[in-house]
Amino acid sequence: MTLAVLASRALSGMHAHAVRVETHLGPGLPSFNVVGLADTEVRESRERVRAAILNSGFDFPPGRITVNLSPADIPKESGRFDLPIALGLLLASGQLSAPVAGQGEGQPRGPDPSLVDLVFAGELSLTGALVPVAAPLVIALSVARDAPGATLILPAGSAEEAAWVPDLRVLSARSLADVAAHAAGSHHLADAVPKAWPQAPPGPCLSDVRGQAGARRALEVAAAGGHSLLMVGPPGAGKSMLASRLPGLLPPLDRSQALEAAAVSALAGLPQTLMGQPPFRAPHHSASVAALVGGGSRPRPGEISLAHNGVLFLDELPEYSRRTLEALREPLEAGRVVIARALHAAQFPARFQLIAAMNPCPCGWRGHPVRACVCKPDQIARYVGKISGPLLDRIDLHVALPPSDPESMAGPPGEASGHVLERVTRCRQRQHDRQGKLNAALSGAELDQHCVMQADAQALLFQAMRRLSGSGRALHRALRVARTIADLEGADALAASHVAQAVQYRRPGL
């Protein structure tokens, strides 16, 4: 009776939990059982492993085989456990020279030092070749965080993506025979060479937007402080055009942020597009709650997680279902979303900038100087009422866009995105030097510490909040916006002009 123990990983949201793959080979009628809360894909590995071992030139061991995936309370899915199961069978049956089998009858020996720090993940084809696994970046990030000094063995293709993670050694393998030779010490796998780091293509420039000086200023404030923004205006005012240019006003993502964004995309099954520019997601207004927030029987990230460290643009905001919009409230505050299921809960990051756009009424022409609005008051009330007060409270900037002016459209181009980006970068650096985070993420206690106001500014803020019947949350958001406006001007204390501008960005005509 012999036993082999190897390490692998099980995905749960944005974390890959450590799993011990314990392979036991004992006497009895031939059988092959996989236990430890394994789903259908994992149980099917018995047939893949059997064929892969035989086609790799090894003997499939007779007897009673039991594979335990520990801990048993974590769900196991996909075929990534094929490789450690097959290798464990070869070790337990004595077909490899690495001393992982038992010392004596029923007494397991300590694992070989060359295998202790190895983590295996890979699906096997019937020929013994290794098939790339899903979400290798998530596995690599978890191994680097939880097990410093460990070495990750992945199929070629997956290994090149995982090699992007710094301070982690990743070995690339093409077949079970290659991994078995490495475990036996007769052959050494090569270190994975990371793929070329893709560069972000140039995005649309803010200079394309003619006129709309007030909206351009609000977009700069939103970019500088990481604030959410709601634009209200008639059709053709430039709402979508402005929103699509926000990523060009944001500093490039650093390596860790870009890796995290790419890992979320991999979990969602999207093509790998790793680049420094913040992601920009614009789901259609027919998107369901699960599509926007995430979900499914096997939880997957939604649009808010795909927009992590970037921008989520919701055009035609009232056309989304109210239930879908209300699901945004908690992620906007917490910066993450937890998808709870009966057996486990998956957590995904969701720290994004919300940019929303809407018309002032169903027809879009309410308040237009030339076009007449044909909407009845009850239609307008129902349209605007789809957006709840609590959700509006969580949006920092509310901006009313006037109709497009033909003279402005024919005028010279506006300021280019590069010039605005320089100011935004300086402002963000000032925030990080002072408090280690953007102003939009400041807590109540931190606002008291970093938002020192002049006497007239404080009086103006309290008076405005009483007049607008603002909540405590609205007061804090106005303070955060005022702090960003002051940072753009390089001021330490909040002046009345900073507070006045921040108060203007509240619920225009809603």
Side-chain angles (χ1 to χ4, degrees), residues 153-199:
I153 295 182
L154 290 174
S158 299
E160 283 70 19
E161 291 182 15
W164 274 322
V165 177
D167 303 324
L168 175 67
R169 188 184 182 198
V170 182
L171 302 181
S172 176
R174 296 191 175 275
S175 67
L176 172 61
D178 291 343
V179 181
H182 180 85
S186 60
H187 171 74
H188 294 289
L189 295 173
D191 290 286
V193 178
K195 295 180 180 178
W197 187 269
Q199 297 299 314

Side-chain angles (χ1 to χ4, degrees), residues 48-121:
R48 293 192 298 269
V49 167
R50 184 190 306 272
I53 287 178
L54 293 174
N55 290 320
S56 297
F58 298 100
D59 296 324
F60 190 80
R64 185 177 181 85
I65 300 169
T66 303
V67 177
N68 178 40
L69 305 179
S70 175
D73 58 343
I74 297 177
K76 320 298 189 308
E77 47 79 26
S78 90
R80 75 177 63 88
F81 299 103
D82 290 2
L83 177 59
I85 290 174
L87 192 62
L89 275 175
L90 297 179
L91 291 166
S93 61
Q95 298 185 66
L96 299 182
S97 59
V100 182
Q103 261 186 17
E105 188 74 10
Q107 301 297 323
R109 241 186 343 227
D112 183 85
S114 63
L115 301 180
V116 168
D117 295 327
L118 294 182
V119 179
F120 302 87

Side-chain angles (χ1 to χ4, degrees), residues 239-250:
K239 303 184 293 292
S240 300
M241 195 175 186
L242 284 161
S244 64
R245 280 147 181 79
L246 179 58
L249 308 183
L250 302 177

Side-chain angles (χ1 to χ4, degrees), residues 205-264:
C205 184
L206 194 60
S207 62
D208 299 333
V209 181
R210 310 292 178 97
Q212 298 294 7
R216 290 168 58 95
R217 170 64 175 175
L219 201 67
E220 180 178 345
V221 173
H227 303 289
S228 51
L229 169 65
L230 170 63
M231 295 180 284
V232 183
K239 303 184 293 292
S240 300
M241 195 175 186
L242 284 161
S244 64
R245 280 147 181 79
L246 179 58
L249 308 183
L250 302 177
L253 301 179
D254 60 29
R255 179 61 67 96
S256 62
Q257 291 174 328
L259 286 173
E260 195 173 25
V264 175

Side-chain angles (χ1 to χ4, degrees), residues 3-155:
L3 176 70
V5 180
L6 297 173
S8 188
R9 291 277 164 162
L11 284 180
S12 177
M14 277 289 289
H15 184 66
H17 296 283
V19 172
R20 284 164 50 93
V21 181
E22 303 171 345
T23 305
H24 177 265
L25 180 59
L29 292 176
S31 64
F32 193 166
N33 298 305
V34 180
V35 298
L37 206 57
D39 72 356
T40 303
E41 291 173 326
V42 180
R43 291 195 297 271
E44 288 175 348
S45 66
R46 295 173 297 187
E47 306 306 322
R48 293 192 298 269
V49 167
R50 184 190 306 272
I53 287 178
L54 293 174
N55 290 320
S56 297
F58 298 100
D59 296 324
F60 190 80
R64 185 177 181 85
I65 300 169
T66 303
V67 177
N68 178 40
L69 305 179
S70 175
D73 58 343
I74 297 177
K76 320 298 189 308
E77 47 79 26
S78 90
R80 75 177 63 88
F81 299 103
D82 290 2
L83 177 59
I85 290 174
L87 192 62
L89 275 175
L90 297 179
L91 291 166
S93 61
Q95 298 185 66
L96 299 182
S97 59
V100 182
Q103 261 186 17
E105 188 74 10
Q107 301 297 323
R109 241 186 343 227
D112 183 85
S114 63
L115 301 180
V116 168
D117 295 327
L118 294 182
V119 179
F120 302 87
E123 180 180 336
L124 287 170
S125 71
L126 300 184
T127 64
L130 283 170
V131 179
V133 297
L137 271 177
V138 179
I139 299 173
L141 289 169
S142 299
V143 171
R145 180 176 58 250
D146 303 339
T151 298
L152 180 61
I153 295 182
L154 290 174

Side-chain angles (χ1 to χ4, degrees), residues 338-395:
V338 179
I339 310 296
R341 292 294 178 263
L343 296 177
H344 70 292
Q347 179 174 300
F348 301 103
R351 191 163 298 282
F352 58 92
Q353 272 189 262
L354 174 62
I355 307 297
M358 60 178 287
N359 295 326
C361 65
C363 77
W365 304 113
R366 181 163 67 104
H368 196 278
V370 178
R371 299 286 295 269
C373 175
V374 298
C375 301
K376 297 179 180 179
D378 59 330
Q379 291 177 314
I380 298 174
R382 282 196 302 271
Y383 180 77
V384 175
K386 291 182 179 179
I387 309 169
S388 68
L391 179 59
L392 282 174
D393 257 0
R394 287 170 168 81
I395 300 178

